[in-house]
């Protein structure tokens, strides 16, 4: 048997690891028999011993032991690090119980254990623990792994996840989108060829909705949407805040909600209530002496929980509508709607999905284990220990560069199947130009300024006439969704390569949705602006050329009425350019008339050039 490859679901709330053993995908349990490991890390106080670098910190506790320490040390237990990974401080939409530090434009760090930790360092501890479980169960170390991420994770988040795996001593052979993993777990045996499946994945901290199609053993992602800042954690916080408000009505001490230990106890009570209310219609909450003095008791009903969750769940409805639109499908075109993620146990979620898609969702998959099982299957495929199947993911937003005039030139369109490679040849727009700035963009708008800038490459070249330089630009997206941009000066064959890592403008999922919505809402205006810009560039190029040509032609060469006609039409074009209101059709018509009026002039210039030659 070839070297096995682990499949790992690095979840916001829980994580799992598995491997293909004797031809079967299995999830591995720890020494206590638990397959699910809470994604929690407790960093104890440093010991009294010291070394050259300072005090020695005790080894972190992972999983359930970390959660047990949360009540006593809420600021030293890290949970939901996945919601922070690869993100800047200014993008953090909630304040966790533990401290986060850094300036707005810097990566978010967790201020703990005497030094600021990157979220990927916390994730690396969890991955090391999962790898240790696999080593103990299999009796031999496994060095390679497939790790899942939300489909809407941007490049910085994917790279940070990959670095976490590498820090844990793993070779990350594939970053796999969670909906694709869930579709693999759902299985080919349940589907006929050309079947279409929607995967609705609402976990602890992220949400994905993807539509996949099976064709000749190939799962292809047709469209995807999501929100990497939406999940069960948000419902827990909403319920915890409600509980604290009820408590405040009994106890008016304003310091209660500010105490992290108290806040943690309310959050734990909210988590337990949410889980219980998936099966029960009401749940009794009891917090005796939660602050050492006060006691709080109340009964929470499922109706109350669903009312608190409704605004959050409503955000998934819009994403479902967009994914159907992108795939060009109606709800009745789907063969199944598969639910994944622990939050989909809520009856309100299942009713919502049934209402959106017009059919009862498929509940055959274990909500917490389906993604991990799919990762295991993919690891088995890559290692050759399972029957070969092909996975085709897509890029959720178009990728391109800015061209002359501030236009967006798309190299790889949105929903391109990856891995993918495409390129174009560009030239200098101005005579004497010494370099070309390649601005790499991601987005759906026609104008470069309305899209996100992922990076820039400066290509120097020898100055020359307009259109004398030739620069090839090639975009490559690997199977992990990581973008590499290669720019080549064809005169010298000099390559400049940029790999998009921790880009200056990360693609935030909420902003992605806004981008797609804006592209639809402003489609006609954007196209009008593009048409105007292209017409303006042509006019601005034509007018100086006409002036220069007329200056070199005598009245004997060109009759006065022809010269006057060209001059008049050129003046009309110039006047339209000066108008405050942009009328692209008017400008295009005027440019076309000027172009037609100069045809005789072009013949005369060509004849004179031939005579001179």
């Amino acid at each position: 048997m070839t070297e096995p490859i682990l499949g790992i679901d690095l979840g916001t709330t829980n994580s799992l690891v598995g491997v293909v053993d004797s031809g079967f995908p299995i999830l591995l349990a720890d020494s206590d028999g638990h397959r699910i490991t809470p994604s929690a890390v407790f960093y104890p106080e440093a010991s009294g011993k010291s070394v050259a670098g300072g005090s020695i910190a005790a080894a972190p506790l992972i999983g359930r032991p970390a959660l047990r320490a949360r009540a006593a040390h809420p600021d030293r237990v890290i949970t939901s690090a996945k919601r922070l990974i690869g993100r800047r401080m200014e993008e953090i939409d909630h304040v966790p119980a533990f401290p986060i530090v850094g300036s707005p434009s810097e990566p978010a760090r967790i201020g703990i254990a005497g030094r600021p930790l990157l979220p990927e360092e916390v994730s690396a501890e969890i991955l090391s623990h999962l790898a240790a479980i696999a080593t103990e169960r299999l009796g031999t170390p496994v060095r390679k792994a497939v790790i899942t991420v939300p489909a809407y994770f941007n490049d910085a988040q994917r790279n940070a996840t990959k670095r976490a795996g590498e820090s844990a001593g793993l070779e990350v052979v594939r970053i796999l989108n969670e909906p694709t993993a869930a579709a693999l777990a759902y299985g080919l045996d349940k589907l006929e060829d050309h079947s279409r499946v929607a995967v609705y994945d609402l976990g602890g901290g992220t949400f994905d909705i993807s539509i996949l199609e099976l064709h000749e053993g190939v799962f292809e992602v047709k469209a995807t949407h999501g929100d990497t800042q939406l999940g069960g954690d948000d419902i827990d916080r909403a319920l915890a805040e409600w509980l604290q408000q009820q408590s405040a009505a009994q106890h008016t001490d304003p310091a209660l909600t500010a105490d992290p230990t108290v806040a943690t106890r309310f959050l734990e009570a909210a988590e337990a209530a949410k889980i219980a209310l998936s099966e029960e219609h009401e749940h009794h909450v009891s917090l005796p002496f939660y602050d050492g003095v006060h006691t709080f008791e109340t009964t929470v009903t499922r109706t109350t929980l669903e009312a608190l969750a409704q605004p959050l769940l409503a955000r998934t409805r819009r994403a479902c509508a967009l994914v159907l639109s992108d795939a060009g499908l109606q709800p009745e075109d789907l063969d199944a709607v598969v639910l994944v993620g622990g939050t989909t146990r809520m009856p309100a979620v299942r009713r919502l999905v049934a209402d959106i898609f017009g059919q009862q969702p498929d509940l055959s998959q274990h909500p917490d284990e389906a993604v991990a099982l799919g990762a295991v299957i993919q690891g088995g495929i890559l290692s050759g220990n399972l029957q070969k199947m092909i996975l085709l993911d897509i890029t959720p937003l178009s990728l391109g560069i800015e061209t002359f005039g501030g236009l967006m030139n798309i190299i790889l369109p949105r929903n391109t199947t990856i891995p993918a490679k495409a390129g174009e040849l560009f030239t200098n727009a101005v005579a004497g130009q010494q370099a070309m700035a390649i601005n790499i963009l991601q987005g759906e708008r026609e104008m470069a300024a309305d899209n996100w800038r992922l990076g820039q490459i400066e290509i120097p070249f020898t100055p020359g006439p307009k259109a004398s330089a030739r620069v090839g630009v090639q975009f490559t997206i690997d199977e992990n969704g990581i973008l590499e941009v290669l720019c080549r000066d064809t005169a010298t064959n000099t390559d400049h390569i940029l790999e998009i890592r921790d880009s200056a403008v990360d693609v935030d999922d909420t902003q992605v949705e806004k981008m797609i919505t804006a592209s639809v809402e402003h489609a006609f205006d954007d196209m009008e602006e593009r048409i105007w810009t292209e017409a303006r560039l042509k006019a601005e190029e034509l007018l100086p050329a006409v002036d220069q040509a007329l200056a070199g032609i005598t009245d004997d060469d060109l009759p006065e009425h022809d010269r006057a006609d060209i001059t008049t039409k050129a003046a009309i074009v110039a006047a339209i350019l000066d108008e405050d209101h942009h009328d692209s059709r008017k400008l295009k018509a005027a440019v076309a008339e000027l172009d037609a009026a100069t045809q005789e002039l072009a013949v005369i210039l060509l004849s004179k050039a031939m005579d001179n030659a």
Side-chain angles (χ1 to χ4, degrees), residues 6 47 71 87 156 192 273 461 465 472 475 507 511 537 551 574 598:
L6 298 177
S47 70
R87 299 175 68 84
E192 298 178 357
F461 45 75
F475 281 26
V507 184
Q511 296 303 315
L537 293 174
T598 57

Side-chain angles (χ1 to χ4, degrees), residues 3-8 141-146 169-173:
E3 181 181 1
I5 297 176
L6 298 177
I8 295 176
V142 181
R143 298 185 298 264
K144 298 180 178 181
V146 170
L170 296 169
E171 178 188 345
V172 184
V173 297

Side-chain angles (χ1 to χ4, degrees), residues 11-48:
T12 306
T13 307
N14 297 303
S15 297
L16 301 94
V17 62
V19 72
V20 171
D21 186 18
S22 302
F24 294 96
I26 59 170
L27 298 178
L28 302 173
D30 62 17
S31 56
D32 295 324
H34 299 297
R35 292 195 298 270
I36 295 176
T37 298
S39 300
V41 181
F42 169 53
Y43 291 91
E45 295 282 356
S47 70

